[in-house]
Each structure stands twice: as structure tokens, then as C-alpha cells.
Amino acid sequence: MKTLSLKNLAKTYFDPYAGSHVNAVHDVSLNVEQGEFVSVVGPSGCGKTTILNMIAGFIPYTGGEILLDGKPVREPGPERGVVFQSFALFPWKTVLDNVGFGPKMRGVPKAERDRIAREYLALAGLSHAAHRYPNELSGGMQQRVGVVRALANNPDVLLMDEPFASVDAQTRMTLQEELTRIWQERKPTVLFITHDVSEAVFLANRVVVLSKGRILDQVEVDLPRPRVWDDLVKDDKFKQLSARVLQMVRAA
Amino acid sequence: MEVTGSLKRRSPWLARSVSSLAGAAMFVAPLLALVAIWAVVVPLFDINPRVFPSVGSVGTAAMDSIRDGTLPAHVGASLLRVGLGTLIGIVTAVPLGIAMGVSPTVAAFLTPLFRFFSVLAGIAWIPIATLWFGYGFGAIVFVIFNAVFFVVAYNTLLGVKTIPHTLRNAASSLGAGRWALLTEVLLPGALPNIVTGIRTGLGFAWRGLIAAEMIATNVGLGYMLFVARDFYRTEVIVFGMIVIGVLWLLIDRLLLVPLERATIERWGMVRRA
């Protein structure tokens, strides 16, 4: 089993304005099992994006350990796919070439990586947009590309950094439903960062509440799947769980 | 439904060529008006041809220089120098600009030098260039290279710096190594600025070329103007000036503007004009 485990993870950095060291993350220990969908929720400044950036290898950590499948993580690598809030699509590549980028880096020949890219575009209902450029797509469509670009590289774990925060509310709900559908089909391991409590509960098997750089509590979400908003907004269990998480976040 | 810009792409060929013809007409009209005034004023005030030529004599000079092959020789020499100098400038400036964009240390170290040499770039180099390369081809190509090099390197640096850092992160998290980061992210990401740099640099180079050819050679458009002056051939001078202007417009419109359009605007990296 390819487990992502954080052991006493810590990040201290020097704040030139305060003139002192700041602990952005301290003593965070967390295991994400293969095929699990874990949401990390917390107010801004709680260190959730810092944690994701350390797992992705974009910034170094100053204490503890990050292990993926038992091996320590220090730098960015294709076994950890990232979906960015700002989409981060390559504007000079077509949708097809954006999605085929990971396979291209692995040396997959053109015909084969186009086939892979088309398969994943179909998964997100984007087959018709294969030859468009990112700037020709709406925000919602761009982030669908962002998600399948990461998936097409077949990562051990998918790291998602508030991916739906910059699209409008209706599109966001559609994207959330699509993500749960894709997750059920492919069962990728997902670590999903958000400040939106109902989003965290809607998507995940487990919600981790973060506050001031520490894990406050964890909540199992045993809601049945497939999950759709029309049902869940009326669902008592969903309401209860959301309320519980919201209370923790607000007390944080 | 959610797609924008698709209408623009599907605009029919006919409409597009009509609109570009109209654009060309708008561009040419003031120039034709100037020629018309010239055609009236010179005979009206009986201006001495040693001061300014008539339209007809310039036309004759044009026909003569084409017929006896001097114009093609001058134009050919000038274009070859500009082409070669520009090519060397781009090939050396882009890697340096990228190195500066990637490494703050390299950028900090080289920036003062760039400030200094941007001021000097151009015809100030002609005297020493003729000492190094002798009168002629080498010295002029060097001056062109100078005009292009600093502008392109600086714009490349800017281009690399404007690439959002998340794009580099995205590439490396998809498995891109250093080389792939360079060819797949840094180069295409900086390309809009590189193209702008080439366009600006070539503009400087073209001006520098004419100046350098007046001093340091015996063939080329600048030389053609300079020699005509010795014989009071104002019609050759004016014809040469027209050729210099028209050639630049052709280079800009037929080469540089389409290059910008093919890359930058397609990618939505600058606003469509």
C-alpha cells in the first residue's frame, strides 16, 4: 500500500518584518492511505497550503518527515500530482498537449500520449476542447483540464490546493460532483486543501481540521456515494457533519 | 457555449482580406498625399534639384538603379548584414537572458553592465569596431549585433521573470527536469518578450546600419546615400531614403508582426490590439 505519511512535520521560517522566527506548521502527523480522499480544512493562515507545498516538494520543511511509500520526499516529483488554485496550465500548449505533458516527460511517444490525454479528457467531458488553448476556455473548463492533467500522469497521490476557489459557485458545485465521480471511477489517493467546510465534507472520506499549524481534530465522513448536491443539501447526516466541522473551524 | 474567441477564428477569409486591404489603404493614403504635395510644390516654386529633386527624377533614379543592378547590390548587402548581426545577437542574447532570469545572482551581477552597455549600444561602437574588424562587413555586423544583443537579452530576462512561478512548479511536479523546464516552460514563456525585444532591437539595428554604412563600407544603402551626396544627386538620396523606410516597414509588417500574432496573441499572453 502506498501510504503518504507526515511525521511530526514542521516548518519554521524567518519573518523579516517581525524580525523573528515564525512556526507556520508544527508537529503535524497524518497518514493518508492509498485510495483515500482526505480534506484538510482550516482558516487562512493555518498552514494548510504550506503543508501541501512541502508535500509537493516546492518548499523545504524544517522538521519531521514526509514519507511516500516509505521513501522520504524532498523535491517535486511525478508521483505527487498537483492541482493549483490558479490552474497553472501552460498557455502555449493546447489542452491535449497540457494533459499529455506528464506522459511526455516520461518519454511516452506522441501517439500514445495523445491517446492517454484523450482518454482523460473524455473522463472530464472535454473531448471537444482538445485543440483549444487554455485562454479560450472558461475557468471551470480550465480547472477540469488541470485535474485531468495531474491524473493523466498516474500519480500515487493527488494534491489539490483550493482548486475550485476561483470559479463561480454554480461551476464549483458541478466540479465537486465531477471530482467525486472521477474519484469513484479511478480511486486516486487525494489530499484536498480548502477553507470551505461543506466542500471538505462533500468530497472526503475524512476531514482534517487544522488550526495555527496543528491538527485540531479529524472527522470520518461515511456518507454514501455517489454524492450529489441536490440530495446532500437535504441530508441530515451531511448537515450534522458540516455543522460539527464548522464549529471546530470557527473555534480554531 | 463556454468558449470565447471561436467566432474570431472562424471569420471568413473574404471578410478578413477585405479588412486587411482597407487597413493597407488607410496606411498608404497619407503617404500618397505627401507624394502629391511634393509633385506640386517642387515645380511650383521651381526648386533647384541640388536642394530637392522632383518626383519624376526620383522615379528615373529608381529605374536606373534597378536596371544597372546597383540597387539590388546595395539592398542585398544591407539585408545580409542586418540578418547576420541579428541572428548572432539573438543566438547569444537569449541563453544569457534566460540564465539571468533564472539566477538572481547572475542577474544582479550583470545588470549594471547591461545598463552601461545599453547606452553605448549602436554607432558609438563604429570607431573601435573598424579597428577590430577593418572597414566593411565585420565592423557593420558587429554594430548590428550590439544593437540587437542588449535589447533581446534584457527582454528575455524580463520574460523569464514574468513567468508565474506556479508554471515552473506545475512542470516539475509533472516530472520535468532542468532541460525540459528550459525548453517547455522558460523559452515559450519568455517568447512574447523575446519577440518584442527582437522587434525593438531590429529597429535600433536598422537605424544603426545606415549610420555605420555611411562610415565603414563601400556598399549598402547608407553608402549609396553618402556617395550620392558627393555628386549632389539629391534624387538618389531621396530614393535611397524611401527604400530604407519601405524596407523597414516590410520587415516589420511581413516578418515581425506576423511572428507576434502567431505566438503571443494566439496564446492570449497579451491583449489583442
PDB file of all heavy atoms in Angstrom, chain B residues 19 36-37 39 59 121 143 146-147 180 198 218:
ATOM      1  N   SER B  19     -10.845  43.502 -45.024  1.00  0.00           N
ATOM      2  CA  SER B  19     -10.492  44.406 -43.922  1.00  0.00           C
ATOM      3  C   SER B  19      -8.996  44.687 -43.919  1.00  0.00           C
ATOM      4  O   SER B  19      -8.572  45.788 -43.576  1.00  0.00           O
ATOM      5  CB  SER B  19     -10.966  43.850 -42.583  1.00  0.00           C
ATOM      6  OG  SER B  19     -10.032  42.943 -42.077  1.00  0.00           O
ATOM      7  N   ALA B  36       1.890  63.598 -53.434  1.00  0.00           N
ATOM      8  CA  ALA B  36       1.117  64.534 -54.254  1.00  0.00           C
ATOM      9  C   ALA B  36       1.546  65.978 -53.971  1.00  0.00           C
ATOM     10  O   ALA B  36       1.759  66.777 -54.909  1.00  0.00           O
ATOM     11  CB  ALA B  36      -0.380  64.358 -53.971  1.00  0.00           C
ATOM     12  N   ILE B  37       1.711  66.314 -52.704  1.00  0.00           N
ATOM     13  CA  ILE B  37       2.163  67.668 -52.341  1.00  0.00           C
ATOM     14  C   ILE B  37       3.550  67.938 -52.927  1.00  0.00           C
ATOM     15  O   ILE B  37       3.813  68.987 -53.518  1.00  0.00           O
ATOM     16  CB  ILE B  37       2.193  67.819 -50.802  1.00  0.00           C
ATOM     17  CG1 ILE B  37       0.765  67.770 -50.249  1.00  0.00           C
ATOM     18  CG2 ILE B  37       2.875  69.115 -50.401  1.00  0.00           C
ATOM     19  CD1 ILE B  37       0.697  67.612 -48.745  1.00  0.00           C
ATOM     20  N   ALA B  39       4.863  66.526 -55.538  1.00  0.00           N
ATOM     21  CA  ALA B  39       4.763  66.657 -57.004  1.00  0.00           C
ATOM     22  C   ALA B  39       4.291  68.057 -57.409  1.00  0.00           C
ATOM     23  O   ALA B  39       4.642  68.551 -58.478  1.00  0.00           O
ATOM     24  CB  ALA B  39       3.811  65.595 -57.554  1.00  0.00           C
ATOM     25  N   GLY B  59      11.926  58.969 -59.697  1.00  0.00           N
ATOM     26  CA  GLY B  59      11.453  57.796 -60.431  1.00  0.00           C
ATOM     27  C   GLY B  59      12.495  57.299 -61.413  1.00  0.00           C
ATOM     28  O   GLY B  59      12.778  56.090 -61.488  1.00  0.00           O
ATOM     29  N   ALA B 121      25.274  51.049 -26.812  1.00  0.00           N
ATOM     30  CA  ALA B 121      24.953  50.209 -27.964  1.00  0.00           C
ATOM     31  C   ALA B 121      24.659  51.058 -29.181  1.00  0.00           C
ATOM     32  O   ALA B 121      23.982  52.067 -29.090  1.00  0.00           O
ATOM     33  CB  ALA B 121      23.749  49.334 -27.648  1.00  0.00           C
ATOM     34  N   VAL B 143      28.210  46.079 -35.203  1.00  0.00           N
ATOM     35  CA  VAL B 143      27.347  47.170 -34.725  1.00  0.00           C
ATOM     36  C   VAL B 143      25.886  46.700 -34.647  1.00  0.00           C
ATOM     37  O   VAL B 143      25.178  46.972 -33.670  1.00  0.00           O
ATOM     38  CB  VAL B 143      27.486  48.407 -35.636  1.00  0.00           C
ATOM     39  CG1 VAL B 143      26.418  49.438 -35.306  1.00  0.00           C
ATOM     40  CG2 VAL B 143      28.868  49.007 -35.485  1.00  0.00           C
ATOM     41  N   ASN B 146      25.430  44.410 -31.699  1.00  0.00           N
ATOM     42  CA  ASN B 146      25.360  45.199 -30.478  1.00  0.00           C
ATOM     43  C   ASN B 146      23.981  45.766 -30.220  1.00  0.00           C
ATOM     44  O   ASN B 146      23.475  45.739 -29.100  1.00  0.00           O
ATOM     45  CB  ASN B 146      26.338  46.363 -30.611  1.00  0.00           C
ATOM     46  CG  ASN B 146      27.410  46.263 -29.583  1.00  0.00           C
ATOM     47  OD1 ASN B 146      27.153  46.498 -28.427  1.00  0.00           O
ATOM     48  ND2 ASN B 146      28.591  45.874 -30.015  1.00  0.00           N
ATOM     49  N   ALA B 147      23.384  46.292 -31.292  1.00  0.00           N
ATOM     50  CA  ALA B 147      22.062  46.911 -31.148  1.00  0.00           C
ATOM     51  C   ALA B 147      21.036  45.872 -30.728  1.00  0.00           C
ATOM     52  O   ALA B 147      20.151  46.133 -29.921  1.00  0.00           O
ATOM     53  CB  ALA B 147      21.648  47.578 -32.453  1.00  0.00           C
ATOM     54  N   ALA B 180      13.960  20.076 -19.624  1.00  0.00           N
ATOM     55  CA  ALA B 180      12.559  20.216 -20.040  1.00  0.00           C
ATOM     56  C   ALA B 180      11.974  21.523 -19.513  1.00  0.00           C
ATOM     57  O   ALA B 180      11.181  22.180 -20.188  1.00  0.00           O
ATOM     58  CB  ALA B 180      11.741  19.034 -19.538  1.00  0.00           C
ATOM     59  N   ILE B 198      13.235  41.454 -30.055  1.00  0.00           N
ATOM     60  CA  ILE B 198      13.753  41.363 -31.422  1.00  0.00           C
ATOM     61  C   ILE B 198      13.207  42.506 -32.260  1.00  0.00           C
ATOM     62  O   ILE B 198      13.932  43.140 -33.033  1.00  0.00           O
ATOM     63  CB  ILE B 198      13.389  39.999 -32.043  1.00  0.00           C
ATOM     64  CG1 ILE B 198      14.147  38.877 -31.324  1.00  0.00           C
ATOM     65  CG2 ILE B 198      13.709  39.981 -33.535  1.00  0.00           C
ATOM     66  CD1 ILE B 198      13.726  37.483 -31.735  1.00  0.00           C
ATOM     67  N   ASN B 218      31.831  50.233 -48.468  1.00  0.00           N
ATOM     68  CA  ASN B 218      31.720  50.755 -49.831  1.00  0.00           C
ATOM     69  C   ASN B 218      30.567  50.118 -50.593  1.00  0.00           C
ATOM     70  O   ASN B 218      30.525  50.147 -51.815  1.00  0.00           O
ATOM     71  CB  ASN B 218      33.038  50.565 -50.585  1.00  0.00           C
ATOM     72  CG  ASN B 218      33.479  49.108 -50.536  1.00  0.00           C
ATOM     73  OD1 ASN B 218      32.704  48.224 -50.187  1.00  0.00           O
ATOM     74  ND2 ASN B 218      34.731  48.863 -50.880  1.00  0.00           N
TER      75      ASN B 218
END
